[in-house]
Amino acid sequence: MSSPEEQMEWKKQTLVKEFIIVGFLVVPPLRPLLFLVFLLVYLATSCANLLITVAVFVDPHLQSPMYFFLQNLSFLDILCISVTYPKLLAILLNKSKSISFIGCLTQLYFFLSFTSTEFYLLAAMAYDRYVAICHPLRYAILMNKRSCLSLAALSWMPGFLDTLPPTVLGSQLSFCGSNAINHFFCDITALMKISCSDTSRVELVIFIEGMFAGLIPFSVTIASYIYIISVILKIRSVEGRFKAFSTCASHLIVVTVFYSTVICMYVRPASALSLNQDQLLAVLYTAFIPLFNPLIYSLRNKDMKEALKKHLGRKVKPVSK
């Protein structure tokens, strides 16, 4: 038989059926401004990535492995921002900060899944660039339709599987005190902060999962670019070297920003957590990186510009080299 104190503690834990999201807590006059800013960011990010997704789907000139992976990335970015920003906008609009326990776990799972999937997808894109530059004569054979679909599946499936353990462990945390989440969505680090149970096992699983989902794709990316750079340096023409490197520079920039942001968010001990910093990093990851991805990857691409010009009926000036 449990003691009365233990029974009371268990009762208090079961009372937590919803959480209160208090991230970006500001004075009421700033709410309309924040709502407008985040709404514009959400619409711009969604529309830019939707344009890329649709353009690749309908334009026959964009039916190549590179654009296939760009389409996957754009679709993933739409999902990524859509799992967090609609709730944030609803909070800023009607001042309702509550989210159910199930809703919180659902948001957590999909956010972690989309983050993990992007690791694998960026690695697949790096491999595609490796084959294109290091084995150009065999590119059509190595990167055929079946290979591209397999690489895409190997990006999406692990992303949704390896995030199950931290989500399940997060659902088993006890919350016997405050239920206020100091974040703008249900992030696992914010949940651990308000939990009254031992979070060491969750931290360990997050670290292992982060190393697995991050280190393996990162190693593939680094290995691909080591070979790419070695081949580029052997090109005699300066113009040829610049053209070859320019096809990879954008991907390298996005990979660097993405990896550094996510590593700062998750691959560190709980004692080093700063939720205010995490909110800024989360904004960078959930909105601005997905917003810049189509600009960096696609909108500066001549073929993509021509496709947008054709299907939208707008004149898009080519980028000067």
Side-chain angles (χ1 to χ4, degrees), residues 117-166:
T117 300
E118 191 150 352
F119 276 113
Y120 295 109
L121 190 57
L122 289 174
M125 297 173 72
Y127 175 75
D128 171 68
R129 293 297 84 203
Y130 157 75
V131 177
I133 294 177
C134 299
H135 303 282
L137 298 180
R138 301 178 58 195
Y139 182 72
I141 299 175
L142 294 176
M143 298 302 296
N144 54 46
K145 186 176 181 179
R146 182 176 180 179
S147 299
C148 292
L149 290 175
S150 298
L151 284 173
L154 289 175
S155 299
W156 286 88
M157 291 177 61
F160 280 83
L161 292 176
D162 59 20
T163 54
L164 281 173

Side-chain angles (χ1 to χ4, degrees), residues 51-235:
L51 282 176
I52 304 303
T53 304
V54 174
V56 174
F57 182 77
V58 300
D59 197 293
H61 297 93
L62 302 180
Q63 304 303 310
S64 68
M66 180 179 71
Y67 294 112
F68 170 76
F69 291 117
L70 284 176
Q71 184 185 46
N72 273 262
L73 181 65
S74 295
F75 181 64
L76 180 62
D77 285 338
I78 295 173
L79 296 176
C80 181
I81 193 172
S82 296
V83 80
T84 55
Y85 268 57
K87 181 61 180 178
L88 173 61
L89 293 173
I91 292 173
L92 293 173
L93 184 62
N94 58 29
K95 303 180 182 180
S96 175
K97 302 176 183 178
S98 64
I99 184 171
S100 67
F101 186 82
I102 297 299
C104 183
L105 290 177
T106 301
Q107 189 183 61
L108 170 64
Y109 170 71
F110 282 107
F111 174 76
L112 293 178
S113 297
F114 296 148
T115 302
S116 181
T117 300
E118 191 150 352
F119 276 113
Y120 295 109
L121 190 57
L122 289 174
M125 297 173 72
Y127 175 75
D128 171 68
R129 293 297 84 203
Y130 157 75
V131 177
I133 294 177
C134 299
H135 303 282
L137 298 180
R138 301 178 58 195
Y139 182 72
I141 299 175
L142 294 176
M143 298 302 296
N144 54 46
K145 186 176 181 179
R146 182 176 180 179
S147 299
C148 292
L149 290 175
S150 298
L151 284 173
L154 289 175
S155 299
W156 286 88
M157 291 177 61
F160 280 83
L161 292 176
D162 59 20
T163 54
L164 281 173
T167 305
V168 172
L169 290 176
S171 68
Q172 298 174 352
L173 293 174
S174 299
F175 304 96
C176 35
S178 172
N179 66 336
I181 298 177
N182 186 19
H183 215 305
F184 68 92
F185 68 98
C186 288
D187 186 51
I188 187 64
T189 56
L191 289 176
M192 288 192 296
K193 273 289 186 180
I194 64 174
S195 173
C196 59
S197 57
D198 183 17
T199 61
S200 58
R201 187 169 59 170
V202 185
E203 293 176 47
L204 179 61
V205 170
I206 292 175
F207 183 81
I208 294 175
E209 189 273 335
M211 293 299 291
F212 178 81
L215 188 59
I216 294 178
F218 183 72
S219 300
V220 172
T221 302
I222 292 298
S224 297
Y225 276 104
I226 289 176
Y227 284 104
I228 288 173
I229 292 174
S230 65
V231 170
I232 291 177
L233 292 178
K234 295 178 182 179
I235 299 177

Side-chain angles (χ1 to χ4, degrees), residues 3 22 34 53 56 62 65 103 134 150 170 178 182 192 194 207 250-251 267-268 271 280-281 284 289 298 303 319:
S3 64
V22 297
L34 275 181
T53 304
V56 174
L62 302 180
C134 299
S150 298
S178 172
N182 186 19
M192 288 192 296
I194 64 174
F207 183 81
S250 298
H251 183 259
V267 187
R268 55 181 177 170
S271 58
L280 295 177
L281 290 171
L284 176 63
I289 290 180
S298 304
D303 292 335
V319 177

